[in-house]
Amino acid sequence: EDQVTQSPEALRLQEGESSSLNCSYTVSGLRGLFWYRQDPGKGPEFLFTLYSAGEEKEKERLKATLTKKESFLHITAPKPEDSATYLCAVGFSGGYNKLIFGAGTRLAVHP
Amino acid sequence: DGGITQSPKYLFRKEGQNVTLSCEQNLNHDAMYWYRQDPGQGLRLIYYSQIVNDFQKGDIAEGYSVSREKKESFPLTVTSAQKNPTAFYLCASSQGKGNQPQHFGDGTRLSIL
């Protein structure tokens, strides 16, 4: 069964304390892995797309990496404004543009 | 600015009533989607449309209906047959070719009176 699992469910960090979020997936033919940020009461905001193992993307304090089984979202020296829920989604062969979403990781960064 | 507009932001439904959620995009995207988001769960696909006048059921289509008469618009009707409609509803769009990222509106929160 195609599925996406994110861990941890929730993460609390002190400002400046770097960490990583995990997204593991089992799909038949990965066509792309997507990271989103979602603030309370808002829609998800697109961050990155990764298409093949070994690929990396960076944006400010965020860096996303991809292997054949999982993706990591590394957060370096986070600030309170990085607090949000981070969602991972995968596209798969035969699914057209349909995505399977993980349940997300709620990140809280405290001063 | 290009984007996706969902309205209303909050909606209340009475028992036995159908309600319609609006979604409009000016990104010139071919594909549009409706998702439902419940606490602690991933987004679940309700319906999607690859092109005007065509749409397909997603994973949880029962109790919902859609139309796609214009490229820009993809309204979702929550019918009285949907027994647990309280949720956050998200509309998204993407380019029709390849595996492109989906871009989301800011959602409609539906509650039962």
Side-chain angles (χ1 to χ4, degrees):
Chain A
E1 180 187 357
D2 297 330
Q3 66 179 24
V4 176
T5 304
Q6 292 188 246
S7 61
E9 289 186 14
L11 180 62
R12 178 187 171 119
L13 299 174
Q14 290 298 121
E15 184 171 3
E17 179 187 2
S18 301
S19 188
S20 297
L21 313 182
N22 178 262
C23 172
S24 62
Y25 60 90
T26 53
V27 296
S28 51
L30 179 73
R31 294 189 61 195
L33 186 141
F34 306 88
W35 281 100
Y36 291 85
R37 169 192 170 126
Q38 185 176 25
D39 293 302
K42 299 286 189 180
E45 174 190 352
F46 170 68
L47 294 174
F48 304 110
T49 307
L50 302 166
Y51 289 109
S52 57
E55 190 174 359
E56 299 181 352
K57 294 277 181 71
E58 285 190 69
K59 179 180 181 180
E60 297 181 354
R61 295 177 292 282
L62 301 177
K63 179 180 177 180
T65 62
L66 180 64
T67 71
K68 288 186 178 180
K69 294 184 178 180
E70 60 191 348
S71 176
F72 292 94
L73 185 65
H74 307 278
I75 304 177
T76 303
K79 298 181 178 181
E81 53 261 43
D82 293 321
S83 298
T85 296
Y86 291 85
L87 302 174
C88 168
V90 300
F92 52 99
S93 297
Y96 183 68
N97 263 352
K98 290 170 60 176
L99 300 180
I100 302 173
F101 280 83
T105 293
R106 295 190 311 277
L107 173 66
V109 182
H110 297 268
Chain B
D1 286 341
I4 300 173
T5 302
Q6 290 188 242
S7 62
K9 189 171 180 64
Y10 299 97
L11 187 59
F12 298 91
R13 194 191 89 170
K14 295 180 181 179
E15 292 289 339
Q17 184 182 45
N18 294 351
V19 292
T20 297
L21 285 60
S22 171
C23 177
E24 303 278 334
Q25 56 101 356
N26 62 4
L27 299 168
N28 199 33
H29 285 167
D30 289 319
M32 297 187 74
Y33 314 80
W34 274 106
Y35 291 91
R36 170 179 173 140
Q37 187 173 36
D38 295 283
Q41 298 190 37
L43 276 65
R44 292 183 290 167
L45 184 64
I46 304 172
Y47 269 97
Y48 64 104
S49 169
Q50 301 175 16
I51 198 169
V52 174
N53 292 323
D54 184 57
F55 49 83
Q56 287 80 37
K57 294 181 179 179
D59 301 319
I60 55 165
E62 185 175 354
Y64 301 97
S65 66
V66 295
S67 63
R68 185 89 187 275
E69 297 177 0
K70 298 187 300 182
K71 186 175 184 176
E72 303 80 20
S73 179
F74 192 40
L76 173 73
T77 296
V78 183
T79 75
S80 58
Q82 172 49 246
K83 297 307 179 186
N84 184 25
T86 297
F88 191 48
Y89 290 87
L90 289 161
C91 178
S93 70
S94 70
Q95 294 179 2
K97 296 180 179 179
N99 207 24
Q100 299 298 315
Q102 296 178 12
H103 298 272
F104 287 82
D106 273 343
T108 292
R109 187 166 299 281
L110 175 62
S111 302
I112 299 300
L113 284 177

